[in-house]
Amino acid sequence: MKRPLVLAAGFVASLILVGGLILLVGVGRVGEALVRADPWWLAAVAGFALAQIAIWGQTLRTVLGTLGVAVTRRAGALLYAAAAFSNNVTPLGQAGGEPVTALVVSRTARVRYETSLAAVASVDALNVVTSLTLVAVGVGYYGVSISVRADAIGNDVLFVAIVALAVLSLLAWRFRGAMVRSVTRIIARFVTALGRVVPPVPTLDPDQVRERLDGFLADVERVAGDRSRLAAALAFSLAGWLAHVAALWAALSAVGYTVDPATLLVVVPVANAAGFTPLPGGFGSIEAAFVALLATMTAVPAADATAAVLVHRAGVYWLPIVVGGAVTGALGADTAASGAE
């Protein structure tokens, strides 16, 4: 099946999932909540969503600066808008969009593909770190200040998951050399085996694969080694997540509910983790996760929570697709024009 057909099939599956969710909670009640939504709060959702793109664009700009690639603030925001587009239309979210985004950054900023991939991967890794920080703060706040409808076991599971992910990340970094060697062998064997079935696929030399991966890893280490820029990138990443949280808070306010922001510090990162599915950008699975968490952790009825989530996702999912798609097209045209000169 050709790639456009695969993407189309993914969006159809996502629409079916979202449609089923709306049917489950009540079409009429969701519609009523959307009709009464405050337009000023709707505008605020869009504003926070655009702010997130601009802020995370500075995260990408800071990381590229660490790797010796200078881009303007405007270029950083535009490049991240293109990244958001790739992530939102590709299965597996950031994991699926990273290679495409890296290609756009490589061609636009005129840097090695390995360098641009290292920058994009580093930004996504920083966003994971800061999202876990938000979850930890939110869970900690619950533990010492308030009681929630979710039981204590749920909070314990979240805490254990955070610790486990942190430990796995540290182990992966500690044994990164061995991991590179293992990945090298796996890639080389896979491509060689594929070449026996599909003759046009060339046989890969493991040494060449290792050289590419070593270059990628060296760039990642450069990002981790620059303490001041790493701190700045983390600050931008955290600010971007807070803009995302603010967008959900505004969406809930639009349908008439005020929710404790501490709750949303947990809801937003955990729900977005559902983006690692075969669906494009997690469309459908993320909506379902948001509604389930809001219905469990807040007093918002499921139908109103669904309406708020649809408004929120219109800002943080569909708006970046429109803006990022336009930016990607413009960057592609500029790159083609530059190559023709």
Side-chain angles (χ1 to χ4, degrees):
M1 186 181 294
K2 295 182 178 179
R3 184 177 179 82
L5 293 178
V6 173
L7 293 178
F11 273 105
V12 169
S14 296
L15 289 171
I16 292 173
L17 181 58
V18 172
L21 174 64
I22 295 173
L23 286 173
L24 180 65
V25 300
V27 176
R29 286 177 291 175
V30 173
E32 291 173 1
L34 289 173
V35 168
R36 71 169 186 266
D38 188 320
W40 290 105
W41 281 117
L42 296 180
V45 172
F48 285 127
L50 292 174
Q52 183 187 29
I53 293 175
I55 293 169
W56 276 353
Q58 301 319 300
T59 307
L60 178 57
R61 174 176 177 263
T62 302
V63 171
L64 285 171
T66 304
L67 299 175
V69 182
V71 297
T72 64
R73 289 185 177 86
R74 178 175 176 273
L78 292 177
L79 285 173
Y80 191 82
F85 171 74
S86 298
N87 292 338
N88 286 353
V89 301
T90 307
L92 304 179
Q94 277 96 350
E98 279 184 358
V100 179
T101 302
L103 183 60
V104 173
V105 173
S106 175
R107 291 178 175 177
T108 304
R110 292 178 172 79
V111 296
R112 291 185 311 123
Y113 179 77
E114 290 83 358
T115 298
S116 62
L117 181 60
V120 173
S122 296
V123 169
D124 287 341
L126 292 174
N127 288 343
V128 170
V129 170
T130 50
S131 71
L132 291 176
T133 301
L134 289 183
V135 174
V137 170
V139 172
Y141 181 72
Y142 286 143
V144 299
S145 301
I146 62 176
S147 61
V148 293
R149 292 171 60 191
D151 57 28
I153 295 177
N155 290 337
D156 290 342
V157 170
L158 282 175
F159 178 76
V160 171
I162 293 169
V163 173
L165 185 56
V167 171
L168 289 174
S169 300
L170 289 173
L171 289 174
W173 181 255
R174 172 65 180 81
F175 299 103
R176 59 191 180 278
M179 289 181 63
V180 166
R181 289 190 293 272
S182 298
V183 170
T184 297
R185 289 193 295 269
I186 292 172
I187 293 176
R189 289 173 181 173
F190 173 76
V191 175
T192 300
L194 185 62
R196 297 191 184 101
V197 180
V198 185
V201 176
T203 299
L204 283 184
D205 182 353
D207 291 334
Q208 292 178 343
V209 178
R210 187 179 299 112
E211 182 180 351
R212 290 275 185 132
L213 289 175
D214 285 341
F216 167 79
L217 190 59
D219 286 333
V220 173
E221 289 177 341
R222 285 174 63 188
V223 173
D226 192 328
R227 301 282 181 85
S228 60
R229 293 198 181 191
L230 179 61
L234 283 168
F236 282 126
S237 175
L238 183 59
W241 274 118
L242 292 177
H244 195 118
V245 170
L248 180 57
W249 185 80
L252 288 162
S253 298
V255 297
Y257 292 89
T258 300
V259 176
D260 191 328
T263 304
L264 305 185
L265 293 181
V266 177
V267 170
V268 168
V270 173
N272 275 280
F276 290 94
T277 63
L279 301 174
F283 173 39
S285 59
I286 291 180
E287 282 80 356
F290 265 117
V291 172
L293 288 168
L294 288 173
T296 301
M297 301 180 69
T298 73
V300 181
D304 292 333
T306 301
V309 168
L310 292 177
V311 169
H312 173 251
R313 291 288 285 168
V316 301
Y317 179 77
W318 290 107
L319 184 58
I321 284 181
V322 175
V323 175
V327 170
T328 300
L331 291 176
D334 289 344
T335 301
S338 299
E341 291 177 355

